[in-house]
Amino acid sequence: MNIAYVVINIVIMLIMLFVLNKMARAHVKFSKRVFVALGVGILFGALLQLVFKSDSAVVTQTADWIGIVGNGYVSFLKMIVMPLVMVSIIQAITNLDSSKGLGKMAGLVIGILVFTTLIAATVGALTSNVFDLNASSIQSGQVEKARSKELEAKLGDVQDQTVPEKIVSFIPENPFADMTGSRPTSTLAVVIFSAFLGIAALQLRRKKPEQADMFNKIVNAIYAVIMRMVTLILRMTPYGVLALMTTTVAQTNVQGILNLGKFVIASYVALIIMFIVHFLLIMFTGLNPVSYFKKVLPTLVFAFTSRTSAGSIPMNIETQTKRLGVEEGIANLSASFGASIGQNGCAGVYPAMLAVMIAPTVGINPWSVAFLVKLILIVAISSFGVAGVGGGATFAALIVLSSMNLPVGLAGLLISIEPLIDMGRTALNVDGSMTAGVLSAHFLGKLDKDKFNDMTLTDESDDLA
């Protein structure tokens, strides 16, 4: 009988996918299709949860089959991330007049990312204190205990690496291995390798202009092809959002959310505050935060449903360049750096909240100024090289908790609500990188303000509509 239910569920999903396709053929705006997919996915997932319960084999099997669409879409995005990062940065540098402004551009992007992470850590710590979160009050079951042991096992790998070793790990000893995403710092390593390659090509103009010109033409041609691939993949976004949202809601541990409701609420309060901070930073530069919000919303929806900062890079760059008026080089750098440096959600808010919540279990006053200052600084430093895929927040938390001499295993108590919180964290990560791109372009005089203020560009290009 289970098989019959699974088949019915799959047929319903196929019908919804067909409707989305018909909407695309009818030229319904891309953003509207994304929001329809989001809403329908939530409703269908809730229906599956209500009818079959989250522990039912029917839900699991249905999610597995629907996951072909959702997880397949995310895999396609991850497939294009590294080639896009590499070619985009090389192309951006080779199209510069000289390499003089590159350091300023990269330094400004990184500086804004780290600055907002400092704010995020402060917001996370204070929110956790205001809500009086305490890990000792959380009940742990078998799943939580297993997760705690797993985290304690990972702690050795984190503690074995000193700060100088961590900095050296950013350098790509084998850029081809990093192209496969083999390390948490792979994205950052590819950025560094691509920057060196671009600078080398740029400096080649003086000695061998013909070869440099040929290389530049090849890079521009490859970039055009890669961007076309990005467009083809982004067309799948409504289908991916529908499937991802359905499986996420259907498999949500409702009881876990109820048990840890206070932490969930506190987390989203902190995340919302940081979104407001981003909009205020945009406003303080004289730009319209409403225009910014409307244009980035579809990208944030995707980041929210997919839970991958790295997978959001293609859509991130597309939004910055085509709708926000950010110069291509800055957009490429901010999107790429933002997936591995200064993640406001995963490397800022979350580790700080955990540290404050765990501190009382070892007799530390979480309101202590010395504790808070040390925590915020450690969070900012540890935000370098955090993976932009699932598990990045856990990796960041391990580093912060171990550096603060706090028990790492207690972080495993939150496993039941991890997916729900990770959705908001990822959206904040991506918004932070786009904010860094817009602010950097504004400060460097490379922001097309006419395009930024043009409200007719709130939707994707004709290729996606």
Side-chain angles (χ1 to χ4, degrees):
M1 192 63 181
N2 282 359
I3 296 177
Y5 286 134
V6 172
V7 170
I8 291 172
N9 293 336
I10 293 173
V11 170
I12 294 173
M13 173 57 66
L14 290 174
I15 291 172
M16 291 188 293
L17 293 172
F18 176 76
V19 171
L20 284 175
N21 182 258
K22 292 289 286 184
M23 292 174 67
R25 292 179 180 275
H27 302 290
V28 176
K29 285 188 176 182
F30 179 82
S31 58
K32 288 184 179 178
R33 286 184 279 128
V34 169
F35 285 114
V36 168
L38 177 67
V40 173
I42 292 173
L43 291 175
F44 188 42
L47 184 63
L48 292 175
Q49 172 90 236
L50 182 65
V51 175
F52 302 107
K53 306 303 180 184
S54 60
D55 60 346
S56 170
V58 174
V59 173
T60 302
Q61 293 173 27
T62 300
D64 287 343
W65 284 100
I66 294 177
I68 294 175
V69 178
N71 297 332
Y73 172 62
V74 173
S75 295
F76 274 125
L77 280 169
K78 290 179 180 179
M79 172 189 76
I80 201 68
V81 165
M82 290 303 187
L84 175 63
V85 169
M86 185 175 185
V87 177
S88 296
I89 290 177
I90 295 173
Q91 191 255 9
I93 294 174
T94 54
N95 286 338
L96 294 173
D97 295 328
S98 68
S99 59
K100 290 182 180 179
L102 182 61
K104 186 177 181 180
M105 185 191 301
L108 187 56
V109 170
I110 294 173
I112 293 173
L113 286 170
V114 175
F115 172 69
T116 53
T117 301
L118 278 169
I119 298 175
T122 304
V123 169
L126 293 178
T127 303
S128 193
N129 269 323
V130 169
F131 276 80
D132 194 25
L133 300 180
N134 193 320
S136 61
S137 63
I138 300 176
Q139 298 292 325
S140 60
Q142 292 183 348
V143 176
E144 287 77 13
K145 290 178 180 177
R147 178 62 170 165
S148 297
K149 290 182 179 179
E150 180 184 338
L151 292 176
E152 288 170 351
K154 288 182 179 179
L155 179 60
D157 297 333
V158 176
Q159 288 182 324
D160 289 341
Q161 194 176 47
T162 63
V163 173
E165 288 174 339
K166 183 174 176 61
I167 294 173
V168 172
S169 72
F170 299 156
I171 301 173
E173 292 182 359
N174 186 344
F176 298 102
D178 283 317
M179 285 289 287
T180 66
S182 58
R183 304 183 295 154
T185 56
S186 283
T187 304
L188 186 56
V190 170
V191 170
I192 293 172
F193 174 74
S194 304
F196 268 93
L197 194 58
I199 292 170
L202 197 61
Q203 294 181 350
L204 194 65
R205 289 179 186 173
R206 295 197 299 269
K207 297 183 178 180
K208 297 182 178 181
E210 292 183 3
Q211 285 88 337
D213 185 57
M214 181 181 294
F215 180 80
N216 196 25
K217 288 180 179 178
I218 292 172
V219 169
N220 285 334
I222 295 175
Y223 178 78
V225 174
I226 292 293
M227 289 309 295
R228 190 61 195 171
M229 285 183 64
V230 169
T231 299
L232 292 174
I233 294 171
L234 289 183
R235 282 178 178 176
M236 306 176 193
T237 300
Y239 313 110
V241 168
L242 172 62
L244 288 167
M245 208 66 227
T246 299
T247 55
T248 299
V249 174
Q251 295 182 302
T252 297
N253 186 337
V254 177
Q255 189 58 48
I257 294 174
L258 294 176
N259 292 339
L260 296 169
K262 191 177 180 181
F263 185 84
V264 173
I265 294 171
S267 296
Y268 272 91
V269 166
L271 295 174
I272 290 170
I273 290 173
M274 276 310 301
F275 275 114
I276 294 173
V277 169
H278 291 168
F279 299 149
L280 289 175
L281 290 174
I282 296 290
M283 186 178 70
F284 289 156
T285 57
L287 299 171
N288 186 347
V290 176
S291 175
Y292 170 84
F293 176 73
K294 287 183 177 180
K295 294 182 178 185
V296 303
L297 192 55
T299 305
L300 297 182
V301 169
F302 167 72
F304 183 82
T305 53
S306 67
R307 295 168 53 200
T308 165
S309 301
S312 301
I313 289 177
M315 208 167 178
N316 187 332
I317 294 174
E318 182 95 356
T319 299
Q320 288 194 56
T321 56
K322 293 190 176 181
R323 282 167 294 289
L324 294 173
V326 177
E327 192 265 339
E328 282 190 356
I330 296 174
N332 293 326
L333 283 176
S334 63
S336 303
F337 281 140
S340 53
I341 294 176
Q343 293 185 357
N344 289 186
C346 289
V349 170
Y350 185 66
M353 290 190 73
L354 277 183
V356 170
M357 186 176 74
I358 293 173
T361 65
V362 290
I364 297 177
N365 178 13
W367 279 106
S368 166
V369 175
F371 171 81
L372 290 175
V373 171
K374 180 182 178 182
L375 172 63
I376 292 167
L377 291 176
I378 287 176
V379 167
I381 295 171
S382 66
S383 70
F384 283 76
V386 174
V389 294
T394 300
F395 182 76
L398 284 174
I399 298 173
V400 171
L401 294 178
S402 62
S403 300
M404 297 291 294
N405 295 317
L406 297 172
V408 173
L410 291 178
L413 296 173
L414 305 174
I415 186 173
S416 61
I417 58 171
E418 183 71 16
L420 179 61
I421 297 176
D422 197 37
M423 295 167 78
R425 291 190 311 228
T426 306
L428 182 63
N429 293 343
V430 174
D431 191 60
S433 69
M434 289 191 287
T435 299
V438 170
L439 293 179
S440 297
H442 173 74
F443 292 138
L444 295 172
K446 294 185 177 182
L447 180 70
D448 186 340
K449 293 187 179 180
D450 291 334
K451 184 179 286 188
F452 182 93
N453 292 319
D454 188 350
M455 295 307 293
T456 64
L457 299 176
T458 55
D459 207 353
E460 274 57 20
S461 65
D462 292 337
D463 286 337
L464 295 177

